[in-house]
Amino acid sequence: MEKKLNLTLKIWRQKGPQAQGRLVTYPVQGVSTDASFLEMLDVLNEELLKKGEEPVAFDHDCREGICGMCSLMINGQTHGPDRETTTCQLHMRRFKDGDTIVIEPWRAKSFPILKDLVVDRTAFDRVIAAGGYASVNVGNAQDANCILVGKESADRAMDAAACIGCGACVASCKNASAMLFVAAKVTHFAELPQGQPERYKRAQAMVAQMDAEGFGGCTNTYECEAACPAGIQVTTIAKLNREYLKSSFAYAEESKSSEGEG
Amino acid sequence: MSLDARVPIGPLSEKWTKCKNELKLVSPTNKRKYDIIVIGSGLAGASAAASLGELGYNVKVFCFQDSPRRAHSIAAQGGINAAKNYQNDGDSVGRLFYDTVKGGDFRAREANVYRLAEVSANIIDQCVAQGVPFAREYGGTLANRTFGGVLVSRTFYARGQTGQQLLLGAYSSLMRQVERGKVKLYSRHEMLDLVLVDGVARGVIARDLTNGNFEKHAAHAVLLCTGGYSNVFYLSTNAKGCNATAIWRAYKRGAYFGNPCFTQIHPTSIPQHGDYQSKLTLMSESLRNDGRVWVPKQKGDKRRPEAIPEGERDYYLERKYPTYGNMVPRDVASRNAKAVCDEGRGVSETGQAVYLDFADAIKRDGREVIRQKYGNLFHMYEKITGENPYHTPMKIYPAPHYTMGGLWVDYHLESTIPGLFVLGEANFSDHGANRLGASALMQGLADGYFIAPYTVGHHLAGRKLPKVSTDGPEFEEALRAAKGRVDRLLKINGKRSVDSFHRELGRIMWDKCGMSRSEAGLKEAIAKIRALREEFWNNVKIPGGNAELNQSLEQAGRVADFIELGELMCRDALNRRESCGGHFREESQTEENEAKRDDENYLYVSAWQHQGDDKEPTLHKEPLAFESIHLTQRSYK
């Protein structure tokens, strides 16, 4: 049944990318346990507005856990306390009356803060641009059933492809490593026949871009897996490491023979 | 201006081939001389931009999200239709075409729908080649399931995340073109106006949402792929950011708006609960494959669902429509849910819900089979409601979900403004008065991968497009208009929040222009919306300024446009005194309260032309002619 909560929020406020930020305390009253976490912030923002204060900026869009736009560090946990749950799907029934909730943005060098809780995650786009695709132009495709994919491989590919690109893996990692994100994409393609032609080039290029963006290295603490709302597993990182190692030998050969490409 | 849909003459099945053969081509070496702007990065936008980039054009893609991968196509759950006949169950292009036209209650353009069905198979091929991980059988072939309004299994899917996987496929192709330097991304940007030079779409004014900078971008063609306008209802299954601003500004610059009142209310959404609610969450239609819809036979029966014996339940869809049962099209399912709730037989505390029950399916197939099919949906349902659908029936209620209406386009997907193309949900073309499940993804990708890349080339090769400068008077005028509007919004400094206006608009639209519409109600709505618009421009409060990330300001611009669009929707609904598909006029129903079409008087597309802010728009009619289909009253009995 619905209950009402009185809460104390401590929210990171920061005017702009260069500005100094700080935690500001806001009491909120009468929050329904049926409300989602973001709806609770909506209520706060309406109240701030009434008082003539500027609302808290935060990223959100689909509010059904799939677009990957929402991104809050809630009491030190990415997307809050529930496993495999995005912030937008976190509901207030998870909290108790009188709780204090600390809300911060993702913190990583590669995700600079734009304002309040909003960060810039375009580094992820650039990592995908480096190789997160199969190079097939429209018009080249053969009949879909000519490519047979065993159900188990297809399922493993889908498990990895489920990544929503929210960046929780980076934000939860003490090294701000993007290994889980990169591993998910590399695994998705490595499991499928369509991913084979560029398999090694992909692993090399995506890892190189990941490094260039300033993401840290992986030291196997598995925080990323615990934080991932899409259930991506660290076994993908092991897969990425194998792909990367193999590609270190194979790619050198491949690039020699593909110089005529154009 | 008379509406020329440019549908090629000749037999239906040869029209697209004939059209392609006659389209002008841009030579490979000249393609790099052309710039194309794509607004929106969902299935239609990403696929079009990637395809045009592959061809060699210079493409700029704009999206308001932080990454093109977040566009709301990503949330489509159930699947994508294609006439592959992989299940050997008698499917064909002709049958997909017929189902779509009939599902749309005979209010779509026949030639467009046929082409959609024709290219549907290529879409699956293309997506598989890209590495989209569709569901597979153990032998490695693709799996299918069935969807509402059809009697074959033609829906391809990737668990309950088909939209996500298709969008990520298109996004990855797009990012490949970014890497090649053929596409430039402008994320966190919003289009605020369209720029016409000599009557041709030649650019846009955009605002960088991170710092408020206004930008002028010139091009040889502009493609709007900005999705639908269900957020006019405030509560809908759309993402919070989905908006009609790009198509509305194009409308005000002269693009006609087609069938604005054709909106889809999806039958299976999680019901509304509190006043603070910000959106409605869809439960995929695919659930109706195994879930049975029912309400108690007795009015006001407050027992728990498990305590209501079989004989006291009314499986009303199975009872009324024995052939299609729970798989009737969306408009029929929604209207029937409303009807039983209006009779007082609705469930939940609000009385505004019906049950979707999986007990029989779990008994028949086992919990594990059901989990594999719908696990993520059940999980999502439990997250939101706190109830476990493995143990107790889901509660569902209709919610605004999709808009069949949109900018009017011809067979080339070109609007009434030359050089302005409109793709995907943003156009009006393929779904008539009701869209069948799993057809939105199909249309978005058909438009982007297989249609626009040809027809845009025809525009580029066929028209004289002199060089334009962003310093020219047309760009300056549009820039001034866009800036002026933002300044005006910021200066109002009234008392009410943007959100409160949006909610009020949503209530008016839902009550008067939602699942059931009447002359009196629509007239009342128009008056109320006008008053609301007046109040908005005098009493809205937007904190902060322009030169920063200002989410209230972004929202204010969108809500201002929704208010105007809401009025046009009501006007269109008022004009159409027939019931068809999702448009139900209380004055036009059969004795069994089914929608009653009036082909004699309304066999046309309404195309509205803007005449000025305080003037009534002009209605143009594109007559619909069906050469290969015999018009019937739809029956799913």
Side-chain angles (χ1 to χ4, degrees):
Chain A
M1 283 310 275
E2 185 190 357
K3 278 192 292 236
K4 300 285 182 185
L5 306 176
N6 294 330
L7 304 163
T8 305
L9 306 177
K10 294 188 171 185
I11 302 179
W12 187 261
R13 301 301 307 260
Q14 182 172 332
K15 274 298 269 180
Q18 312 305 329
Q20 187 76 34
R22 65 192 175 100
L23 282 172
V24 179
T25 304
Y26 300 99
V28 283
Q29 261 97 44
V31 174
S32 164
T33 48
D34 281 344
S36 72
F37 196 83
L38 296 183
E39 285 165 351
M40 183 271 293
L41 288 179
D42 291 340
V43 171
L44 170 72
N45 276 344
E46 283 289 297
E47 283 172 17
L48 291 178
L49 205 79
K50 272 188 213 140
K51 285 192 268 180
E53 290 176 45
E54 218 181 304
V56 180
F58 61 92
D59 266 334
H60 64 97
D61 200 24
C62 79
R63 297 206 177 190
E64 48 189 274
I66 193 76
C67 76
M69 188 113 174
C70 64
S71 59
L72 300 178
M73 186 66 94
I74 299 165
N75 286 338
Q77 284 180 290
T78 50
H79 294 300
D82 285 351
R83 284 199 83 135
E84 295 194 20
T85 302
T86 55
T87 295
C88 66
Q89 294 294 286
L90 176 65
H91 278 67
M92 295 313 292
R93 64 180 76 91
R94 192 68 173 69
F95 296 89
K96 291 196 297 290
D97 192 40
D99 276 356
T100 296
I101 307 174
V102 182
I103 308 170
E104 295 170 90
W106 282 174
R107 293 194 191 279
K109 190 176 81 184
S110 313
F111 291 164
I113 293 175
L114 294 172
K115 183 178 183 178
D116 295 341
L117 304 169
V118 177
V119 301
D120 178 354
R121 286 168 288 190
T122 48
F124 271 8
D125 285 332
R126 292 187 291 272
V127 170
I128 295 292
Y133 42 77
S135 299
V136 216
N137 282 2
V138 175
N140 284 340
Q142 57 187 326
D143 183 86
N145 261 346
C146 291
I147 305 173
L148 295 179
V149 184
K151 188 173 184 309
E152 291 84 356
S153 306
D155 284 348
R156 280 196 300 273
M158 180 62 215
D159 287 341
C163 169
I164 59 172
C166 65
C169 48
V170 173
S172 64
C173 177
K174 62 179 178 174
N175 308 322
S177 169
M179 281 288 268
L180 195 69
F181 172 76
V182 176
K185 193 44 66 188
V186 166
T187 302
H188 162 202
F189 281 109
E191 289 289 351
L192 295 175
Q194 300 94 308
Q196 299 313 306
E198 297 162 290
R199 183 172 177 177
Y200 298 131
K201 182 178 165 207
R202 178 178 304 115
Q204 286 287 324
M206 290 183 75
V207 168
Q209 188 62 36
M210 173 180 85
D211 291 343
E213 295 291 344
F215 292 108
C218 173
T219 48
N220 297 310
T221 49
Y222 300 172
E223 274 291 335
C224 53
E225 182 182 273
C228 178
I232 309 294
Q233 298 185 337
V234 289
T235 48
T236 58
I237 295 184
K239 177 103 184 161
L240 170 61
N241 284 332
R242 288 197 299 278
E243 293 289 308
Y244 186 76
L245 197 64
K246 275 192 265 179
S247 64
S248 306
F249 306 109
Y251 182 47
E253 294 297 312
E254 230 175 55
S255 27
K256 258 186 251 164
S257 58
S258 68
E259 267 165 14
E261 190 192 6
Chain B
M1 188 174 115
S2 70
L3 286 170
D4 177 11
R6 283 199 280 177
V7 175
I9 29 181
L12 197 55
S13 59
E14 290 165 26
K15 283 183 195 292
W16 180 228
T17 310
K18 183 168 173 333
C19 177
K20 279 193 290 185
N21 288 340
E22 289 169 2
L23 289 173
K24 292 200 170 73
L25 296 173
V26 179
S27 85
T29 49
N30 279 341
K31 287 196 175 90
R32 69 174 76 97
K33 295 176 188 163
Y34 289 107
D35 303 322
I36 297 169
I37 287 172
V38 178
I39 309 291
S41 64
L43 285 182
S47 61
S51 308
L52 292 163
E54 286 167 12
L55 287 170
Y57 299 112
N58 310 308
V59 184
K60 290 179 175 178
V61 174
F62 295 78
C63 65
F64 69 80
Q65 300 92 340
D66 70 333
S67 162
R69 66 180 289 155
R70 313 224 192 270
H72 197 54
S73 306
I74 205 155
Q77 298 166 350
I80 177 166
N81 288 330
K84 280 286 198 185
N85 195 29
Y86 280 164
Q87 302 309 317
N88 198 28
D89 55 2
D91 199 8
S92 63
V93 168
R95 204 176 280 274
L96 174 54
F97 157 69
Y98 181 75
D99 286 344
T100 308
V101 170
K102 179 184 169 196
D105 217 356
F106 307 95
R107 288 294 175 267
R109 190 189 291 145
E110 194 180 31
N112 284 52
V113 181
Y114 195 89
R115 173 176 64 186
L116 177 66
E118 236 180 316
V119 303
S120 65
N122 304 75
I123 297 170
I124 302 302
D125 298 341
Q126 174 61 20
C127 294
V128 166
Q130 282 170 346
V132 169
F134 282 118
R136 300 270 171 173
E137 304 293 352
Y138 280 98
T141 53
L142 289 151
N144 290 110
R145 61 183 168 205
T146 189
F147 251 64
V150 304
L151 298 172
V152 292
S153 285
R154 63 160 75 100
T155 305
F156 295 79
Y157 62 99
R159 294 198 189 139
Q161 291 128 278
T162 316
Q164 180 199 27
Q165 293 309 316
L166 295 176
L167 182 63
L168 294 181
Y171 162 76
S172 65
S173 291
L174 176 69
M175 296 315 290
R176 176 170 159 248
Q177 296 309 312
V178 171
E179 181 76 355
R180 287 182 65 222
K182 293 312 296 180
V183 174
K184 193 162 165 19
L185 283 184
Y186 294 84
S187 55
R188 292 196 195 269
H189 274 66
E190 181 163 51
M191 170 183 150
L192 290 186
D193 211 343
L194 179 74
V195 182
L196 274 62
V197 179
D198 299 330
V200 180
R202 294 305 302 270
V204 299
I205 305 297
R207 182 173 173 269
D208 181 337
L209 302 179
T210 63
N211 55 24
N213 286 347
F214 290 86
E215 299 169 2
K216 299 180 278 188
H217 296 271
H220 298 90
V222 178
L223 278 59
L224 301 186
C225 314
T226 53
Y229 49 90
S230 294
N231 273 349
V232 75
F233 293 100
Y234 185 75
L235 286 179
S236 82
T237 65
N238 282 189
K240 291 296 285 177
C242 291
N243 67 82
T245 288
I247 56 171
W248 193 249
R249 302 302 161 84
Y251 166 74
K252 292 182 117 176
R253 291 276 174 193
Y256 292 5
F257 208 115
N259 295 333
C261 82
F262 286 172
T263 55
Q264 177 164 79
I265 312 292
H266 193 292
T268 54
S269 156
I270 299 177
Q272 197 181 339
H273 45 95
D275 293 335
Y276 48 79
Q277 191 159 357
S278 62
K279 80 157 272 159
L280 296 168
T281 303
L282 188 74
M283 288 285 106
S284 167
E285 171 170 318
S286 60
L287 292 168
R288 285 197 275 145
N289 272 306
D290 286 297
R292 298 179 70 194
V293 177
W294 65 276
V295 290
K297 280 187 178 164
Q298 276 300 320
K299 265 187 207 177
D301 188 337
K302 289 287 168 204
R303 286 176 290 175
R304 287 159 27 81
E306 298 85 353
I308 300 177
E310 200 61 28
E312 293 174 42
R313 300 174 175 193
D314 180 13
Y315 295 91
Y316 57 90
L317 290 177
E318 297 173 21
R319 173 172 59 79
K320 288 175 73 177
Y321 309 97
T323 308
Y324 283 77
N326 293 298
M327 297 305 281
V328 291
R330 290 173 174 178
D331 55 331
V332 179
S334 290
R335 212 151 38 235
N336 276 282
K338 180 177 188 295
V340 294
C341 291
D342 288 350
E343 286 167 24
R345 296 195 289 145
V347 298
S348 96
E349 286 160 40
T350 59
Q352 297 291 306
V354 300
Y355 289 126
L356 180 64
D357 196 338
F358 294 89
D360 287 348
I362 291 171
K363 214 179 290 167
R364 184 186 67 224
D365 299 336
R367 186 187 155 116
E368 183 51 26
V369 171
I370 296 301
R371 192 193 64 78
Q372 279 186 15
K373 281 191 191 168
Y374 311 116
N376 67 323
L377 296 169
F378 278 33
H379 181 72
M380 194 200 285
Y381 182 86
E382 191 176 356
K383 279 273 159 240
I384 293 169
T385 63
E387 291 183 353
N388 181 343
Y390 291 105
H391 298 142
T392 188
M394 282 185 179
K395 294 188 198 95
I396 54 162
Y397 197 68
H401 177 58
Y402 186 89
T403 50
M404 285 73 69
L407 290 185
W408 184 91
V409 290
D410 62 16
Y411 192 67
H412 289 203
L413 303 181
E414 194 169 15
S415 71
T416 49
I417 298 175
L420 179 72
F421 293 79
V422 191
L423 280 60
E425 190 181 350
N427 74 28
F428 88 102
S429 75
D430 294 358
H431 306 295
N434 173 56
R435 179 176 64 74
L436 290 182
S439 285
L441 302 182
M442 173 171 69
Q443 189 218 338
L445 291 179
D447 289 0
Y449 283 136
F450 297 109
I451 299 168
Y454 299 103
T455 58
V456 170
H458 179 76
H459 151 72
L460 299 172
R463 286 200 182 99
K464 277 211 165 62
L465 299 166
K467 197 173 159 46
V468 296
S469 156
T470 53
D471 295 328
E474 295 87 353
F475 278 88
E476 286 302 320
E477 183 272 319
L479 178 66
R480 267 197 310 276
K483 273 188 174 167
R485 205 177 138 84
V486 166
D487 287 345
R488 205 179 140 201
L489 283 169
L490 288 167
K491 273 192 199 128
I492 297 168
N493 202 18
K495 294 215 162 24
R496 280 182 69 181
S497 71
V498 177
D499 220 45
S500 76
F501 282 102
H502 197 176
R503 280 175 196 273
E504 189 173 336
L505 173 69
R507 266 194 302 273
I508 299 170
M509 295 303 292
W510 180 244
D511 289 344
K512 307 294 179 196
C513 196
M515 272 190 285
S516 183
R517 299 148 177 197
S518 70
E519 178 163 347
L522 290 163
K523 284 183 172 160
E524 189 189 329
I526 291 172
K528 281 184 172 171
I529 293 169
R530 287 197 165 166
L532 188 70
R533 179 167 140 202
E534 181 71 19
E535 195 196 341
F536 177 90
W537 284 100
N538 286 298
N539 196 26
V540 73
K541 179 165 181 61
I542 302 158
N546 173 61
E548 60 179 323
L549 197 157
N550 187 340
Q551 294 176 326
S552 304
L553 177 61
E554 295 164 24
Q555 203 197 351
R558 295 167 190 169
V559 171
D561 290 337
F562 276 135
I563 293 174
E564 294 179 12
L565 171 57
E567 185 181 327
L568 184 69
M569 289 167 68
C570 293
R571 208 172 269 289
D572 186 42
L574 190 61
N575 169 69
R576 195 170 280 275
R577 295 166 158 274
E578 63 158 351
S579 296
C580 58
H583 171 64
F584 188 74
R585 276 292 293 263
E586 287 162 18
E587 298 90 342
S588 179
Q589 43 186 316
T590 65
E591 280 167 16
E592 294 154 311
N593 303 109
E594 300 285 348
K596 193 169 145 202
R597 258 189 8 248
D598 177 358
D599 291 333
E600 205 168 306
N601 294 305
Y602 294 98
L603 194 59
Y604 63 78
V605 174
S606 308
W608 296 89
Q609 182 185 15
H610 182 65
Q611 297 290 2
D613 277 341
D614 293 307
K615 294 200 183 105
E616 298 214 345
T618 310
L619 173 64
H620 301 266
K621 296 174 184 176
E622 180 200 340
L624 291 169
F626 291 90
E627 291 167 23
S628 68
I629 280 183
H630 176 62
L631 289 173
T632 54
Q633 280 289 344
R634 273 190 321 174
S635 169
Y636 291 93
K637 297 212 181 262

